[in-house]
Amino acid sequence: MDVTQAIPSPAGARQAVPSRQRGRPRDRVREFVRDPVGTFHRAVTELPFDYPPKVIVIADIMTFVIGVAATVQRHAYFPTALPLVAMLLLFISLPAFCLFGVVPSPATLGVCGMAAAALFLLQPVSADFAPFVLVIVVGEVAAIASVRVGVAVAVAAVAELVAFDLFGHVLWSADTERFEGLPMYSIGILLGLLCGLMLQYQRRFLYQERHYQDMRAAQAAEEERRRIAREVHDVIAHSLSVTLLHLTAARHALETDRDVDEAVEALVDAERLGRQAMADIRRTVGLLDKRPSKLVPEPSVGDIQDLVGDFVRAGLDVRYRCTDDLAPVSAAVGLALYRIGQESLANVVKHAPGATATVLLAVDDATAALTVSNTLPGGLPAQRGHGMGLSGMWQRAELLGGRLTAGPTEDGWSVRAEFPLVATKAWVSCPLPGLFVDAVGAPPPAGFRAWNAMREGA
């Protein structure tokens, strides 16, 4: 895609200031008389070309220097006023904008610049600086107009030089022949065109980069919102499911056995889980706040046993089995396994009340797998949900390069999440004993383990 077509109307470009909003010409003249430097700076800043004021000032200074040099070269022609009229044409656009609010256009700059160069060339001198006026003019037009307009002005400038050279008015030196200096002046005009196009493309690339930065920021914000939504959904779904189980147990205890102690115990557990859920929600929502907050450790793979215990105390029939060594599981994978198990058990409570569930956690050197399976009592249909639960679990698995499968089985429903484990690189062994420790013989230092956990959990 052509960058000139990528952003047709940049949002960051300055707009032209209408003449009616700049006061009457008399007021603007008075303002210029009181503060010429400040008025000039404000006028340059308000130009609609969206270039830094320094760039515009440098171009004007270069034009002024070349115009003065071309005027001084024609001292032998005085008292003729042609060089002075040429200087006036070169800078007519700036006072017209400052005093009358007339925005300089590419056509105005091109016509005035070529007319000024023509007035200079009517009085030929050797080693003439006047053709360099066309170099500056072509560069300015190419910087603010389209490529076609810039090329057209450059061709017109070269044609003007050819026309004056036919009459012997373009002198490269005192004893020069016709068309001897034309190639050098034409190369200068080409360089001016390329400089102007370079400035314009640089500006357009800047707009494009700003646009892409906004897109990346929006995508990052959207991903952060999704992550927070997953966290809030997992916390609320788990807490409400377990709390409702405790409340149901308390109600049954009061209705059937009139067992107040059992009901109070169930209500205490429900209150504890409610407070824990509130703390988790505050921590998750606190991610939206830019202020520094207290860091709270995230759940890990070792907390899955406590998670199952909460559901067991709430009345869900859950059996838990796991391998002995959970050390290979990183913090990020452990958090994902915990959240997937949390959501799966919450779905069991929600969609299969009275079911029997089994949680199996298997960890080896290559993978970590969590399987949550449950029965479907009462002939409940095994249907896929359309909420955030399954999609959130799939997203967690994909972000860490894992796989998640969920669907009906012969006797119920099963959810299985499997994550690859990155093998820990061995320490470099040293022939001098005591300086370094091989990772096979002994574990790495505690500081390295903490750093590695932070790196893997990032």
Side-chain angles (χ1 to χ4, degrees):
M1 180 178 61
D2 187 3
V3 70
T4 58
Q5 300 175 358
I7 307 174
S9 56
R14 292 194 296 266
Q15 301 297 324
V17 181
S19 176
R20 61 178 180 272
Q21 297 181 7
R22 296 173 53 83
R24 295 178 300 177
R26 181 184 303 176
D27 298 333
R28 291 193 291 268
V29 171
R30 292 176 180 174
E31 182 182 1
F32 183 80
V33 172
R34 288 196 303 267
D35 186 13
V37 178
T39 304
F40 175 78
H41 183 269
R42 285 191 297 270
V44 171
T45 305
E46 292 172 355
L47 285 172
F49 306 130
D50 200 34
Y51 283 106
K54 291 182 180 179
V55 175
I56 300 175
V57 171
I58 290 175
D60 290 339
I61 291 176
M62 293 174 60
T63 305
F64 179 77
V65 171
I66 293 175
V68 170
T71 302
V72 171
Q73 284 182 317
R74 286 156 175 81
H75 61 87
Y77 292 96
F78 284 112
T80 179
L82 286 180
L84 300 179
V85 175
M87 287 290 294
L88 179 62
L89 286 175
L90 283 178
F91 292 95
I92 191 63
S93 59
L94 190 57
F97 178 71
C98 295
L99 302 179
F100 302 100
V102 179
V103 179
S105 63
T108 304
L109 292 176
V111 171
C112 291
M114 293 179 65
L119 292 179
F120 280 129
L121 292 175
L122 286 175
Q123 298 175 339
V125 294
S126 60
D128 198 355
F129 277 92
F132 291 107
V133 172
L134 297 175
V135 176
I136 302 298
V137 170
V138 170
E140 291 178 347
V141 173
I144 64 176
S146 63
V147 177
R148 293 181 179 179
V149 174
V151 171
V153 173
V155 172
V158 174
E160 181 180 6
L161 287 180
V162 172
F164 275 95
D165 205 354
L166 288 173
F167 295 95
H169 285 247
V170 181
L171 303 179
W172 184 253
S173 61
D175 55 348
T176 184
E177 295 181 1
R178 188 173 299 177
F179 299 113
E180 182 178 348
L182 183 62
M184 300 302 298
Y185 289 132
S186 300
I187 292 175
I189 292 176
L190 178 61
L191 292 177
L193 174 66
L194 294 179
C195 290
L197 293 178
M198 180 187 67
L199 288 175
Q200 183 172 164
Y201 273 80
Q202 184 180 22
R203 181 184 61 172
R204 291 182 179 272
F205 276 124
L206 177 62
Y207 291 145
Q208 192 177 36
E209 181 61 27
R210 289 175 182 174
H211 179 65
Y212 287 156
Q213 286 181 356
D214 293 340
M215 290 178 58
R216 288 192 291 267
Q219 292 174 356
E222 181 65 23
E223 182 61 30
E224 184 68 12
R225 283 193 294 268
R226 291 178 182 175
R227 187 180 72 84
I228 294 175
R230 289 196 303 266
E231 294 289 334
V232 173
H233 174 269
D234 293 342
V235 170
I236 293 177
H238 160 254
S239 303
L240 289 181
S241 299
V242 179
T243 302
L244 289 176
L245 284 176
H246 282 296
L247 295 177
T248 302
R251 180 174 58 83
H252 282 298
L254 292 176
E255 288 179 350
T256 57
D257 302 334
R258 302 293 179 178
D259 191 347
V260 178
D261 294 336
E262 184 179 352
V264 169
E265 183 180 355
L267 292 175
V268 168
D269 289 337
E271 180 183 5
R272 177 182 59 83
L273 289 173
R275 294 182 184 277
Q276 179 182 351
M278 185 61 67
D280 291 339
I281 292 173
R282 286 198 184 105
R283 176 185 56 79
T284 305
V285 175
L287 297 175
L288 299 173
D289 195 355
K290 296 182 179 180
R291 295 173 297 178
S293 57
K294 185 185 296 184
L295 296 178
V296 180
E298 294 280 3
S300 63
V301 66
D303 296 321
I304 296 180
Q305 185 174 359
D306 296 334
L307 174 68
V308 174
D310 290 338
F311 280 94
V312 171
R313 286 189 295 270
L316 182 64
D317 186 6
V318 187
R319 295 175 179 83
Y320 176 65
R321 290 179 297 170
C322 74
T323 56
D324 296 333
D325 187 13
L326 301 179
V329 182
S330 65
V333 173
L335 176 60
L337 291 173
Y338 181 90
R339 293 302 187 195
I340 291 175
Q342 185 182 54
E343 176 64 23
S344 300
L345 292 176
N347 287 338
V348 173
V349 176
K350 179 180 178 182
H351 300 289
T356 300
T358 301
V359 178
L360 175 61
L361 178 60
V363 179
D364 54 27
D365 294 336
T367 59
L370 177 69
T371 304
V372 180
S373 57
N374 63 276
T375 60
L376 293 176
L380 294 175
Q383 298 178 354
R384 293 180 180 269
H386 300 284
M388 294 185 58
L390 282 178
S391 63
M393 290 190 287
W394 269 312
Q395 290 175 4
R396 288 184 184 275
E398 290 177 358
L399 287 175
L400 297 175
R403 295 182 303 171
L404 186 133
T405 57
T409 59
E410 295 180 357
D411 57 349
W413 185 273
S414 176
V415 176
R416 176 179 174 81
E418 184 175 347
F419 294 90
L421 298 180
V422 180
T424 304
K425 296 182 179 180
W427 290 73
V428 178
S429 59
C430 180
L432 298 179
L435 294 182
F436 293 95
V437 182
D438 193 356
V440 179
F448 175 80
R449 290 199 301 269
W451 176 85
N452 191 38
M454 292 176 59
R455 177 179 60 83
E456 294 178 343

